[in-house]
C-alpha cells in the first residue's frame, strides 16, 4: 500500500473522482444512507486527503483530516474507508496510523477527535481513542465521539 496525503488543489482530477466515488459507494450506497456527502470541507486550504493506493495507483483506502475548528475544536479524522475488496488485511489500522501521523505533522499540539460509528468503538480504542460522548444518531446510524489526546 502506498500512502500519500494531499491538499485539495494537489489532487489530480482522477484522484478526486476516485476518492469521491469511493466515499459515495461506501457511505451512501453500501451503508444505504442518503446524506449530503459534499459538505464544503474538502476544498478548505487546511484539509488533507490521505490516499492509500495499490500498485496501479487505484485508491484502496482513504481518510480526510481536518484542521482544528472545522468539525470539532480539535483536529479530526473522518470519511475513513477501506474498499470491500481490500478489507481483512489490516489496512484500516494502517490507514488510521497514517492519518494520525498526518494530523500530528500539521497540528502537533492538538488532540484528534472523531465521530465514530458505534460498532467500530473497539477498533478505534485499539488505535488509542477514548469514548467521550454517549451514543447519538447521525443519519440514522449510531455514533460516538472519541478523542486521541
Amino acid at each position: 500500500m502506498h500512502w500519500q496525503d494531499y491538499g485539495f488543489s494537489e489532487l489530480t482530477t482522477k484522484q478526486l473522482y476516485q476518492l469521491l466515488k469511493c466515499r459515495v459507494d461506501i457511505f451512501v450506497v453500501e451503508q444505504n444512507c442518503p446524506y449530503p456527502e459534499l459538505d464544503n470541507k474538502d476544498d478548505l486550504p487546511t484539509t488533507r486527503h490521505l490516499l492509500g493506493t495499490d500498485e496501479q495507483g487505484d485508491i484502496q483506502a482513504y481518510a480526510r483530516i481536518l484542521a482544528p475548528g472545522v468539525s470539532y475544536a480539535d483536529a479530526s479524522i473522518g470519511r475513513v474507508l477501506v474498499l470491500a475488496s481490500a478489507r481483512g488485511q489490516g489496512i484500516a489500522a494502517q490507514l488510521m496510523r497514517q492519518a494520525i501521523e498526518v494530523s500530528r505533522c500539521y497540528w502537533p499540539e492538538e488532540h484528534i477527535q472523531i465521530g465514530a460509528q458505534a460498532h467500530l468503538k473497539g477498533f478505534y480504542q485499539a488505535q488509542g481513542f477514548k469514548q467521550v460522548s454517549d451514543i447519538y444518531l447521525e443519519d440514522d446510524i449510531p455514533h460516538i465521539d472519541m478523542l486521541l489526546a
Side-chain angles (χ1 to χ4, degrees):
M1 189 68 49
H2 177 70
W3 300 100
Q4 187 67 42
D5 82 283
Y6 298 94
F8 185 80
S9 64
E10 300 169 311
L11 292 164
T12 67
T13 53
K14 180 179 179 181
Q15 289 169 323
L16 179 60
Y17 177 84
Q18 277 191 351
L19 76 85
L20 292 173
K21 183 177 184 330
C22 290
R23 286 174 21 184
V24 169
D25 285 351
I26 291 175
F27 299 125
V28 178
V29 178
E30 181 180 315
Q31 295 182 359
N32 193 26
C33 182
Y35 76 105
E37 170 55 29
L38 301 179
D39 59 3
N40 296 314
K41 296 177 184 178
D42 291 308
D43 61 346
L44 296 174
T46 55
T47 298
R48 305 304 300 175
H49 299 274
L50 177 63
L51 310 180
T53 57
D54 62 17
E55 295 297 320
Q56 293 72 41
D58 293 324
I59 296 173
Q60 302 298 304
Y62 170 83
R64 182 175 73 176
I65 301 103
L66 299 175
V70 175
S71 287
Y72 300 98
D74 302 301
S76 62
I77 299 169
R79 301 299 201 267
V80 176
L81 66 85
V82 175
L83 294 186
S85 59
R87 293 177 191 158
Q89 302 171 43
I91 293 171
Q94 292 176 38
L95 172 63
M96 284 306 297
R97 283 193 298 273
Q98 292 289 327
I100 291 166
E101 186 176 307
V102 169
S103 183
R104 296 277 189 242
C105 176
Y106 288 93
W107 308 287
E109 303 300 318
E110 299 292 333
H111 300 312
I112 302 170
Q113 188 162 346
I114 61 174
Q117 292 185 12
H119 75 278
L120 295 172
K121 175 183 173 181
F123 168 76
Y124 288 113
Q125 283 178 322
Q127 312 310 311
F129 287 86
K130 295 186 179 1
Q131 182 174 343
V132 294
S133 77
D134 292 329
I135 293 177
Y136 60 91
L137 287 180
E138 183 174 310
D139 300 314
D140 289 328
I141 297 173
H143 280 71
I144 52 173
D145 288 336
M146 301 187 81
L147 189 69
L148 179 65

